[in-house]
Amino acid sequence: MSRGDRNRNARLARLRALVLADNAIVGIDLADRKQMVVVTDHDSKVLARKTFRCRAWDLGAALDWAAQRAAGAGFAGVTVACEPTGHRWRVLGQLAADRGMAFVCVQPSMTSWSRRAEDLTCDKTDEKDAVLIARLTAQLRCYIPEPVDETWGRLRHLGARREQVIVEMVSQIQQLRALLECVWPAALHTARQPFRSRTWVAAMSVICDRDGGDLARTRRLGLARLEQAVRREITRRGGQKPSLRIVGNLFTALDDPAGVSAHRRGALERVQLLLGDWAENQRRLTDTEARMINVLNELGLTDLVTSITGISAVGAAAILAETGDPARFTTARAVVKHAGLAPREKLSGTFTGRTKLTGQGRPGLRLAAWRAVWGAQRANPVYAARYRHLTGRETNKLTPTQAQAAIAATILRHLHAVVTTGKRWDPQTATHGTRPASTLIPVAA
């Protein structure tokens, strides 16, 4: 058998341990106030059906009812199945665990495809979906959800908060750029990367806060006094000293007439408010990342994940917040597939199609791994060599973006390896795997 056959057989065995042959299957289509519950056998014959008008936390009575109907039909127990919709599936999983019931989930995409294959229509009702969920479970077309763990759960929630703050910060930067391009475009050219310059941000805060958009009043203040005000603002923000070149450029830009002058005062007032919101989000981001690092310390993973050159504790925590405990994945390739970074083969007879990434799985994990590439590719010699090899080889040369996607998948595999084995990252092993030294082949060969 191939390695894929062995992995597939092992996965089916784990699912069969939950979907026992002497268990009835309880398929539940979850909603806000209406819960459709069906009890079926393994041929998806409906043994009982009932609609419960209740919230998810009140489904305990539904599970007790289903267990009674299954026992009346001669089954030893039940396996509860649902789609992972919103937060309700976690509530249902807790209620099933409290009663000692097996619990699995069915991907909504599987239900959608099965719905179309059912009668070649696009009909969708709660009654039909509950039966389809039970049928897919009987066919083992389901998966074991992530186990409940307090520490890993905290990391996942912190990762979600970090992503939310980052999205807000990016939106605020785009708004700042759009406003300044409209009313004062010269300000954007006073620094090479204005939104990464502490001096530029401090100077804009002083200009917008002090004069409320009246640039002529700031001009009358004079360059020396503006430098003093910016220096005080820099110190208040935790910096040491400003870049006088940027301050001078901004002072010169005060006389630039370009822009919609009628909107300048109102737009600069919005800029002032956005700068305050942006500063608050930076504080929230710093606090959230510190909390995530503390969780890594509690898990004892900080030293392991940062042993990978170029991977920071925050970057690793962002990835692990999306994966959960990597030990729940049997192989490193399973993590890559979960991120949608696994190649999709197209082979039939003598035909070989173009290989692309699946793009399925968890988009947040794919994004976290992609962000980690930019620092790791420059700092890590193994990743840098792999990038040069993939973009410079004679056959099957990859574009820079494709090579970076391959490195993102490599980072996920290496994180899985160091966390599950408890061994620090080793560049020699990362380059050549576990083959004997006599058979090692250079990466760029």
Side-chain angles (χ1 to χ4, degrees):
M1 293 189 298
S2 66
R3 181 178 59 180
D5 292 331
R6 290 191 295 269
N7 291 337
R8 189 178 303 108
N9 292 345
R11 183 177 69 252
L12 292 175
R14 290 191 298 271
L15 288 172
R16 180 55 68 191
L18 295 177
V19 190
L20 296 172
D22 55 354
N23 274 9
I25 299 174
V26 181
I28 303 179
D29 186 70
L30 295 170
D32 185 19
R33 296 178 180 273
K34 176 186 175 183
Q35 323 296 339
M36 173 54 62
V37 182
V38 296
V39 183
T40 72
D41 61 10
H42 283 256
D43 292 328
S44 69
K45 294 180 180 178
V46 177
L47 307 177
R49 178 198 300 275
K50 189 173 183 179
T51 301
F52 289 83
R53 303 284 179 175
C54 63
R55 298 280 189 174
W57 270 117
D58 299 322
L59 274 173
L63 295 182
D64 295 336
W65 170 85
Q68 293 174 2
R69 294 296 182 272
F75 288 94
V78 298
T79 297
V80 182
C82 70
E83 293 178 323
T85 53
H87 63 278
R88 302 182 186 94
W89 70 275
R90 294 186 182 274
V91 176
L92 182 61
Q94 180 67 54
L95 294 174
D98 293 342
R99 290 161 174 75
M101 298 176 177
F103 179 70
V104 295
C105 287
V106 175
Q107 287 287 0
S109 58
M110 294 294 299
T111 307
S112 177
W113 296 334
S114 298
R115 188 185 302 122
R116 296 183 180 183
E118 182 72 9
D119 54 6
L120 300 181
T121 67
C122 295
D123 290 347
K124 183 186 186 308
T125 64
D126 296 340
E127 292 77 5
K128 290 182 178 181
D129 284 357
V131 175
L132 287 177
I133 291 171
R135 179 176 303 169
L136 291 169
T137 302
Q139 298 171 355
L140 299 185
R141 296 181 179 273
C142 53
Y143 70 94
I144 303 173
E146 180 182 359
V148 178
D149 181 88
E150 183 177 354
T151 307
W152 282 103
R154 183 182 172 213
L155 181 61
R156 184 177 289 279
H157 285 290
L158 287 173
R161 174 177 171 81
R162 177 179 180 268
E163 182 62 27
Q164 179 183 5
V165 174
I166 289 176
V167 170
E168 290 179 5
M169 292 178 64
V170 172
S171 173
Q172 288 160 357
I173 291 175
Q174 292 174 338
Q175 292 179 61
L176 287 168
R177 186 182 297 277
L179 288 170
L180 291 175
E181 284 180 349
C182 178
V183 300
W184 191 21
L188 294 172
H189 302 293
T190 56
R192 179 174 298 178
Q193 294 182 328
F195 298 103
R196 293 187 178 184
S197 169
R198 182 176 296 181
T199 299
W200 187 89
V201 173
M204 286 298 301
S205 299
V206 169
I207 293 172
C208 295
D209 182 51
R210 182 183 181 278
D211 299 324
D214 187 358
L215 301 184
R217 188 166 182 264
T218 305
R219 179 68 177 174
R220 292 193 298 269
L221 180 67
L223 178 59
R225 294 179 63 188
L226 178 62
E227 290 176 353
Q228 294 176 2
V230 173
R231 192 183 302 274
R232 288 193 297 268
E233 182 68 16
I234 285 285
T235 303
R236 189 183 68 83
R237 293 170 178 260
Q240 295 181 353
K241 59 181 181 178
S243 170
L244 299 182
R245 176 185 59 83
I246 295 178
V247 177
N249 291 341
L250 271 172
F251 185 78
T252 303
L254 294 172
D255 289 332
D256 195 303
V260 184
S261 57
H263 283 271
R264 177 170 290 181
R265 187 166 184 176
L268 291 181
E269 183 178 8
R270 281 185 63 190
V271 168
Q272 174 194 350
L273 297 173
L274 281 170
L275 287 173
D277 295 339
W278 189 35
E280 175 61 20
N281 276 334
Q282 287 178 319
R283 186 198 63 78
R284 293 166 57 197
L285 180 63
T286 302
D287 176 71
T288 302
E289 291 178 345
R291 292 171 183 265
M292 294 175 70
I293 294 176
N294 288 337
V295 175
L296 276 190
N297 293 334
E298 291 180 21
L299 295 169
L301 299 178
T302 305
D303 291 338
L304 283 175
V305 297
T306 55
S307 66
I308 304 177
T309 305
I311 301 297
S312 65
V314 172
I319 293 175
L320 295 177
E322 294 291 337
T323 63
D325 187 356
R328 72 189 183 97
F329 297 96
T330 55
T331 63
R333 178 173 170 78
V335 183
V336 177
K337 293 171 67 176
H338 189 57
L341 292 172
R344 178 178 57 192
E345 293 183 329
K346 286 188 176 181
L347 301 175
S348 179
T350 59
F351 170 78
T352 302
R354 183 181 178 184
T355 302
K356 298 181 179 179
L357 298 182
T358 61
Q360 304 296 315
R362 195 175 184 90
L365 175 57
R366 188 159 60 247
L367 176 60
W370 179 261
R371 286 172 175 164
V373 169
W374 302 99
Q377 181 182 327
R378 293 172 174 82
N380 193 307
V382 175
Y383 298 156
R386 179 168 177 78
Y387 177 82
R388 291 192 298 269
H389 167 65
L390 293 175
T391 57
R393 60 190 179 185
E394 293 293 333
T395 59
N396 195 23
K397 181 187 296 186
L398 301 185
T399 65
T401 302
Q402 291 173 330
Q404 288 163 348
I407 294 174
T410 302
I411 291 174
L412 293 179
R413 287 194 292 268
H414 289 177
L415 276 175
H416 180 272
V418 299
V419 173
T420 55
T421 63
K423 297 180 180 179
R424 294 173 60 84
W425 185 80
D426 177 63
Q428 192 72 11
T429 304
T431 304
H432 305 293
T434 58
R435 290 175 292 177
S438 58
T439 63
L440 297 183
I441 302 175
V443 171

